[in-house]
Amino acid sequence: MFSSLVLAATLAAAPAPRSASAAQTVVHVPQLDAMGGLSAFLARAGTHSAMLRPEAWRAELHPFLVIDPTKPETLSASGLDPAGPATVSLRADGRVSCMRVKDAKTFQAKAAEAMTAAGGADVKPTTSKGVTSVSVKRSAGGAMGYALKGTEVCAFGAIDEAGAALLKESVKLVGKAPAPDARLGKVPGAAYLATGGTVVGLDGTGNVLKVEGTAVKLPLPPFQAKGTSPYAAMQPTGMLFSRVAVAPAGVQQAVGSLRATIQAVCPECPKEQVQSVADAVAKQLTGNLLVNMDNVQVRGSLRAPEVRFFSVKQALAAEVTDAAAVKSALAPLGNFPGAKTLADGWALAVKGGSVFVRLKDKQLVVGNDEAVTQATLAALPAAGAKQERAADFTLDPQKLARGLGQVGLSDVLADEQLAALFAVSSELGPLLERSERITGWMDSAPGGAHRFSMTWTLPESK
C-alpha cells in the first residue's frame, strides 16, 4: 500500500509531455516562463558557440510560428500562453509541437497568416467532435497544420506525404490529458530532452548550466558507491580527474578495456600471458579506481592506435586487496618484449612510448607517461576518505579545448570519429577556452542504466 502511494505521488509530480507516437526525440518544457535561467546561460554561452545561441534553436519550437520563449510577448502575440508547457516531438516524417493557447482567435489568425505565407492557400479550419483542425500543403513541399481543442493545440510540419498522419496524431494528442512521464520525474530540470534510452534535464543561471539525466546501454561498467575511497581526499589536477567505484560485476570489464588497449600498442606481447595477467590482477581489485588524464600532446596521425594512446598523458590507479598477490600476478611482465624492471614495478617499451606498471603499498598504478605516473604515485594519500558518489569527475575545459584543437585535418578527412572530435572542437572550443570548470558525478541505476550529473561553470560576469 505504501509503495503504491509513493509511486502515485511520483507520477503526479512527473512532467506530462504531449509526446507524439513514434517520436525519435522529445523536447519538453513544463513551464515556458520558467526557462529564464537556462536561457540566460545559453545566451551567454552562445556568444562563443553558435549552436547554443537561443536564435539557433528557438525556431525549432514551432513548425510555422516565430516565437521566442525568452520573450513572453512573442508567445502572447501569437495567442499562446507564456506560462504554459511546450512539447516538441521529432519524428522521421516531421515534427509535432504542442502548447497551451491563451487566446484561440489570435492563435488561429496568426496561424492562418503564417500558413498562407508558406504557400498554404485556402486555410479553412474544420471542427469535429470539439476539435478544430487545419491541414494545408506547403509550396516548399510537405504539409503543415494544427489541431485545437479548448486551450490545447498541437501544430505539425510534415515531410512529403505525411500530412494526414501527423494531423491524425495532433488530433489524438489534444483529445486527452497527457500521462505523467516517470522517466522525466526522476531528474530535475526546467527543460527535458528524451532520445533513445537517454533522458536529460536542463536548468541554469547566467553562468552555470546544470545537466542531470539517466541513460541505458552506456559502454561503462556498473558502479557501486562504497562509502570510503583511497582517492576521495585527493585534489583534482590535470585535464580530467575522476574517482570511480566499480561494482564487483564490472571489474573484469574495466580491466578488459585496459588490457585490450595495451595489447593494441604491444602486439608482440604474448596474448595469452597478457590475458592471464589481467585476469589474475582483476581478482585482487577492490573496484576503487582513479583516472588522471593530465594533458594532450599529439605526435603524429591519430589514426594510428599507438598515437591515440600516447596522445593523452595519463595514469590509472587501482586499489588492491593483496599487494603481494598482485606483485606475483604481474611478475610475467618482466619477460615481455622490451620490459625493464624497476624498483617498484616494470616499464614496457611498446610502439610509440612506454607503459609503466608500478606498485605502492595497496595501490597499482598504470600510466603511459613517466612524469604523470610519478606525480600520481606521489599524490596518493596514506588514508582513505568518504566518497559521496560512485563516480565523480573534474574537467579542465581550457586543457580540453587545447587537446581537441590538436586533431589534424588529414585525420578528420579519413576518420569519422576524429571528424566528430574536430566538429566539437570547432563548435565548443572557443566556449571551453572561456569556461571556468566542469564537474559531475555518475551512479548506477536499476535495469543496467546510469544516472549522471554535470555542472558547467563560466566565470562570473563583470
Side-chain angles (χ1 to χ4, degrees):
M1 178 67 177
F2 179 74
S3 60
S4 298
L5 290 174
V6 172
L7 177 60
T10 301
L11 289 174
R18 291 183 185 273
S19 306
S21 60
Q24 298 170 326
T25 300
V26 173
V27 178
H28 178 64
V29 181
Q31 191 174 327
L32 285 165
D33 61 359
M35 285 186 64
L38 177 59
S39 296
F41 177 90
L42 294 175
R44 186 176 173 197
T47 61
H48 306 296
S49 174
M51 68 180 289
L52 297 181
R53 294 171 188 165
E55 56 265 31
W57 50 264
R58 66 190 178 199
E60 302 299 322
L61 285 175
H62 203 278
F64 48 79
L65 292 179
V66 179
I67 57 176
D68 183 350
T70 66
K71 298 177 180 178
E73 62 271 18
T74 66
L75 293 159
S76 298
S78 296
L80 299 170
D81 186 354
T87 305
V88 180
S89 301
L90 304 179
R91 302 187 0 160
D93 56 359
R95 57 181 166 140
V96 179
S97 177
C98 296
M99 295 184 181
R100 184 168 296 157
V101 171
K102 194 171 184 179
D103 185 329
K105 289 185 178 180
T106 298
F107 170 79
Q108 288 184 282
K110 291 294 183 180
E113 290 177 11
M115 288 189 284
T116 300
D122 300 324
V123 179
K124 296 179 179 179
T126 60
T127 301
S128 175
K129 297 181 180 179
V131 178
T132 298
S133 61
V134 174
S135 181
V136 297
K137 292 184 178 181
R138 294 178 295 203
S139 58
M144 58 186 173
Y146 64 83
L148 170 67
K149 182 177 182 180
T151 60
E152 305 299 331
V153 64
C154 289
F156 66 88
I159 298 173
D160 300 327
E161 303 301 319
L166 290 189
L167 173 61
K168 182 178 180 180
E169 183 70 23
S170 298
V171 170
K172 183 178 73 173
L173 287 172
V174 298
K176 61 180 181 179
D181 191 328
R183 300 176 305 162
L184 274 59
K186 293 177 181 177
V187 295
Y192 296 89
L193 173 68
T195 180
T198 301
V199 175
V200 176
L202 304 168
D203 206 346
T205 64
N207 70 308
V208 176
L209 173 66
K210 291 284 295 183
V211 179
E212 191 164 330
T214 59
V216 298
K217 297 181 180 180
L218 290 179
L220 295 170
F223 300 139
Q224 179 179 306
K226 301 178 184 299
T228 300
S229 167
Y231 314 115
M234 293 180 66
Q235 293 300 309
T237 60
M239 182 180 70
L240 174 65
F241 187 92
S242 179
R243 292 167 284 225
V244 182
V246 178
V251 169
Q252 190 68 49
Q253 179 184 345
V255 173
S257 178
L258 178 61
R259 176 199 57 76
T261 299
I262 293 177
Q263 187 77 70
V265 297
C266 186
E268 297 82 9
C269 293
K271 190 172 183 178
E272 291 184 1
Q273 288 191 37
V274 172
Q275 182 69 63
S276 177
V277 169
D279 291 343
V281 170
K283 293 177 182 179
Q284 298 296 329
L285 299 186
T286 67
N288 283 317
L289 305 175
L290 168 71
V291 179
N292 181 17
M293 296 183 179
D294 187 71
N295 64 87
V296 175
Q297 296 177 22
V298 178
R299 302 276 191 268
S301 171
L302 287 167
R303 283 169 285 169
E306 65 275 10
V307 175
R308 290 198 193 197
F309 176 65
F310 285 104
S311 289
V312 181
K313 306 305 178 184
Q314 60 186 306
L316 169 71
E319 183 185 34
V320 304
T321 56
D322 187 332
V326 172
K327 185 176 181 179
S328 176
L330 292 170
L333 295 180
N335 298 319
F336 282 13
K340 178 182 178 181
T341 301
L342 307 174
D344 58 355
W346 298 265
L348 301 178
V350 299
K351 191 174 182 181
S354 294
V355 175
F356 300 89
V357 182
R358 307 180 68 173
L359 274 167
K360 179 182 179 181
D361 299 324
K362 287 191 174 182
Q363 307 300 322
L364 171 64
V365 178
V366 180
N368 66 356
D369 180 85
E370 186 171 13
V372 177
T373 304
Q374 289 276 22
T376 303
L377 282 164
L380 293 173
K386 184 177 180 180
Q387 181 170 316
E388 296 296 333
R389 297 286 182 175
D392 62 27
F393 69 87
T394 299
L395 182 66
D396 184 324
Q398 297 173 19
K399 283 192 173 183
L400 176 61
R402 290 194 288 270
L404 290 172
Q406 295 180 48
V407 179
L409 181 59
S410 61
D411 289 333
V412 169
L413 297 175
D415 190 295
E416 290 184 0
Q417 291 182 337
L418 294 175
L421 284 178
F422 181 79
V424 170
S425 175
S426 300
E427 183 56 51
L428 294 180
L431 176 60
L432 289 168
E433 289 176 353
R434 293 166 176 81
S435 298
E436 189 172 285
R437 63 184 177 277
I438 299 175
T439 59
W441 54 261
M442 183 173 285
D443 282 330
S444 284
H450 288 84
R451 181 164 180 161
F452 57 87
S453 175
M454 182 190 75
T455 302
W456 187 327
T457 305
L458 304 177
E460 292 283 353
S461 56
K462 298 180 179 179

